[in-house]
Structure formats: C-alpha cells, structure tokens
Amino acid sequence: MSSGDGQQSQALTKPTFSEVQASALVESVFGLKVSKIQPLPSYDDQNFHVCISRTKDTTDGPNEYVLKITNSESSKTPDLIEVQSHIIIFLRAAGFPTASVCRTKGDNITSLMSVDSGSEIKSYLVRLLTYLPGRPIAEIPISPQLLYEIGRVAAKLDKTLEKFHHPKLSSLHRENFIWNLKNVPLLEKYLYALGQNRNREMVEQVVQLFKDEVMTKLSHFRECINHGDLNDHNILIESSKSAFGDAVYQVSGILDFDDMSYGYYVFEVAITIMYMMIESKTPIQVGGHVLAGFESVVPLTPVERSALFLLVCSRFCQSLVLAAHSCQLYPENEEYLMITAKTGWKHLQQMFDMGQKAVEEIWFETAKSYESGISM
C-alpha cells in the first residue's frame, strides 16, 4: 500500500507512465504484444491491467497481466522486491492462489528502467504478473463462512512462510516501515493531516495506549513474515454452488505483497479483522469469525489475544492517518485513498465507545462457538 520510509517525498516518487509508455515497456522488457491496457488504482506505485495479443510464437500462456511499476523510492531497495517476488512464486508452488511472476527477455523477474525527467534521471523497477480472476471482497456481501475462510487463509499463509528461505530474507526487517504495526508511534509526525478534532484525539489515545500496552508485549509475540495488507481489495473471491444450491465463496486470489515485512502472527489477524470490518454491516461481529478461522491454523497465546483489540484500533489509525496524509499529496487520488475513511472513523469510534472488554467478549465468544460446531 505504501513505501513507508519515503513518505515526505512520496508525491515526487510515484511513476507517471502513460498507457503508450507502459505498453512499450511490456513489449521491450517482456517481449509481449499489447492489445489493450488500462490503469489500475494504486497507492504510490503504478499498476496497469494488460491484455496481450498472441502471435504464432506465443500461443501458450495467459492473455491478461498486471504491469507493476514501483515508485522510485522503493525501487532503491531491489533486494526487498526480489524477495517479495520469490515469496509470490513460493506461495503459488505451495498451492496458494497467487499470481505467476513473468520473466523478462533476459530471464530476470524484475527490470530497472531509467527515465530522464528533465531535471534528473529516475529509476523504476518493473514487474509483470499474471492477472488473477475473481471479484474483490469489497464487492461481495460478506458472510461468516467467508470471514472464517479468510482468517484461515491468512494464518496458513504466514505458517507456510516459516519454510521460505532466501539469501536476502533479512531485507524484510523493515525497521521504519510506516505500515508495519509495530511502528504505530511513527504516526505522530503525520497527525497534522487530521487537523484538530475528535478523530485526532482518538488517534493520540490509541498511539499512547500502544506505547504503554503493546510495545511492552512485543517480545512475547511469535514472530513471522506478514503479508501485512489483506484488505478487501487484495483478496479475490469466486463463488460455486453448494449441494443445497447456495453460493459458497472461495478465495481465488491474493494480491499485493508490497507491504510484506517481518512482524507477528497476531499482527496478521488484527490487520485482517480491521479490513474485513470496513465492508461489514455488523463490523463488531466480524472479529470472532476471522479469529476462529485464523486459530484453526495458528491458535493465539493469551498474551497475543490480550493485545488484539488495541492492534485492530491501531491498524484503523494507520490507515486513516496515512490516507489523510496521502490525500494532501495526491488530491486526484482522493476517491481511492479514502475508501477506508468512509466507514473507518465510525468503526473506530464504535470500538472506543464499547470498550475493550465488551468487544473482546463478542469476538472470543464467537470464536469459541466454532469449537462446538455452532457458529454464531
């Protein structure tokens, strides 16, 4: 979702390739002839949906791809992007519905493109991934069965990555990465984007509670690699009919591995709960179903569970504060950037009003009901 470390210069680092330039990239770097191309929404990179026309030499393979052009700041960390790309390949081999990473004509998985912008030369890392089928969760009425399935997939993904090895794996230790949940205190320098109001007071309270109650527990959490951005636009769904004729939804695609970093199992479930709340008409109920699915693979420890409420609140704060900040940099992107904000402030306020004990009771009781086979 965000490059994190280069927030101040973010507006200057986002690529601005035209559709014609992007088509030329696909042809020159990957050797594929473009028949149609259109931009996709993106936070601070540039993405294009690419359809290719087959020639006699390229009759096999997919016809649809996503061209990813990484912002110039993140393009300075090619090791990180290489590791993220290898994780996508690894997860696909392990049976996850991730994209295939296409190789360049020179048989690499990324290519560094230099562009003369007049005042300076900027470099952008370019990748091509296969386009995955399915609809984003944001477009589908979300059911307890689907929430459970998403929680289960999130835990399975992190658990599977315990077996991932790569010589540059240490690049996932992203110390000042603004989207890593352990860096919630870094939000303080972006609070100005909220102005002076009740929302800002709420965020200040959450940040303080995070410092007092979560930072002290970090050493007790179990570490793992986090996807870090399992939001309602990064999970794709396809439906099939059950034996009873009902629509049953399965996860058909997992997108956007750009926020991957070392974190903790409890971070992944907190982030997933927060994003699934955004689309729900009964947001407080969501956590228990996601938690039950997650814990069917990775049961949380008591200390991890005790931090869950604050971690969900903290992720709301990250998303809301950084969206407000980015809107000042990219006013033309406001509609995409403010997706979460439409309901996010309302949900955060509701969690605050109910309090930790009441929300936890709903989550934990719902999760417990799955153990006895009666989901609430």
Side-chain angles (χ1 to χ4, degrees):
M1 235 177 147
S2 169
S3 66
D5 300 342
Q7 289 273 329
Q8 298 88 330
S9 56
Q10 197 181 17
L12 304 172
T13 69
K14 184 165 180 166
T16 53
F17 284 71
S18 68
E19 289 169 32
V20 172
Q21 289 170 319
S23 293
L25 268 185
V26 174
E27 294 183 26
S28 63
V29 177
F30 299 96
L32 296 170
K33 181 84 179 144
V34 176
S35 62
K36 187 181 170 194
I37 189 163
Q38 59 190 90
L40 293 167
S42 179
Y43 211 83
D44 54 2
D45 300 322
Q46 232 186 339
N47 296 331
F48 291 91
H49 181 189
V50 179
C51 298
I52 63 155
S53 45
R54 289 286 169 202
T55 63
K56 282 182 210 154
D57 305 327
T58 58
T59 47
D60 297 335
N63 291 321
E64 293 182 78
Y65 295 87
V66 174
L67 175 69
K68 294 183 74 69
I69 306 171
T70 303
N71 69 77
S72 58
E73 191 62 36
S74 296
S75 292
K76 293 173 185 171
T77 53
D79 288 358
L80 173 64
I81 288 167
E82 185 187 329
V83 169
Q84 289 166 345
S85 300
H86 278 286
I87 283 175
I88 295 171
I89 296 165
F90 175 82
L91 288 171
R92 187 170 178 84
F96 286 84
T98 56
S100 295
V101 179
C102 305
R103 294 196 165 265
T104 66
K105 290 198 288 192
D107 201 30
N108 298 307
I109 55 176
T110 60
S111 178
L112 192 64
M113 303 303 299
S114 295
V115 178
D116 190 345
S117 65
S119 55
E120 60 178 322
I121 294 188
K122 289 184 176 177
S123 296
Y124 303 99
L125 275 169
V126 175
R127 287 174 289 169
L128 193 68
L129 308 178
T130 51
Y131 185 83
L132 293 172
R135 292 166 64 196
I137 283 180
E139 296 175 8
I140 292 163
I142 206 152
S143 65
Q145 170 258 329
L146 188 49
L147 291 169
Y148 181 93
E149 175 61 13
I150 288 161
R152 195 181 69 81
V153 167
K156 241 179 89 186
L157 192 149
D158 287 7
K159 188 86 181 149
T160 301
L161 287 177
E162 287 182 4
K163 301 184 190 77
F164 177 77
H165 300 288
H166 191 279
K168 297 168 182 172
L169 196 56
S170 61
S171 62
L172 289 178
H173 287 288
R174 303 167 73 179
E175 285 315 306
N176 293 315
F177 181 49
I178 196 75
W179 287 101
N180 189 307
L181 256 179
K182 74 169 184 287
N183 289 327
V184 164
L186 296 182
L187 289 178
E188 287 177 329
K189 60 183 171 186
Y190 303 111
L191 290 180
Y192 71 88
L194 299 178
Q196 291 291 345
N197 51 38
R198 171 69 187 128
N199 289 346
R200 179 170 175 157
E201 286 169 23
M202 252 191 318
V203 173
E204 285 171 341
Q205 267 180 279
V206 172
V207 171
Q208 194 53 53
L209 286 166
F210 186 93
K211 288 179 186 174
D212 296 342
E213 296 178 29
V214 176
M215 296 297 280
T216 53
K217 292 175 182 168
L218 287 178
S219 60
H220 300 287
F221 296 162
R222 288 164 301 162
E223 195 178 37
C224 66
I225 297 169
N226 289 149
H227 176 282
D229 196 14
L230 289 173
N231 70 44
D232 42 333
H233 290 265
N234 286 342
I235 301 171
L236 301 177
I237 298 297
E238 282 189 316
S239 65
S240 57
K241 286 274 190 286
S242 73
F244 305 104
D246 306 330
V248 178
Y249 291 107
Q250 282 98 21
V251 175
S252 64
I254 303 167
L255 308 177
D256 195 353
F257 287 76
D258 298 350
D259 282 4
M260 292 205 91
S261 63
Y262 269 103
Y264 304 91
Y265 280 109
V266 69
F267 281 10
E268 196 78 274
V269 68
I271 290 166
T272 309
I273 287 171
M274 175 262 163
Y275 283 122
M276 293 308 106
M277 285 176 71
I278 293 298
E279 294 303 326
S280 175
K281 291 184 170 63
T282 53
I284 300 297
Q285 312 302 319
V286 162
H289 301 293
V290 176
L291 180 62
F294 195 91
E295 290 199 310
S296 71
V297 179
V298 180
L300 296 185
T301 64
V303 71
E304 287 167 341
R305 270 188 158 214
S306 71
L308 193 56
F309 173 85
L310 251 180
L311 288 170
V312 173
C313 290
S314 297
R315 183 51 167 212
F316 268 116
C317 292
Q318 280 182 315
S319 186
L320 293 163
V321 170
L322 294 173
H325 168 66
S326 291
C327 274
Q328 297 186 347
L329 299 177
Y330 310 131
E332 73 284 1
N333 253 6
E334 184 162 357
E335 188 183 348
Y336 172 69
L337 292 168
M338 297 306 279
I339 290 168
T340 306
K342 287 174 189 166
T343 49
W345 288 114
K346 198 170 65 184
H347 295 347
L348 181 59
Q349 182 70 60
Q350 189 183 359
M351 287 180 74
F352 248 68
D353 292 345
M354 288 180 69
Q356 180 167 344
K357 195 166 180 295
V359 173
E360 280 181 348
E361 201 171 302
I362 293 167
W363 288 352
F364 299 161
E365 281 303 312
T366 303
K368 196 175 177 185
S369 71
Y370 280 83
E371 294 168 25
S372 52
I374 320 157
S375 56
M376 295 168 82

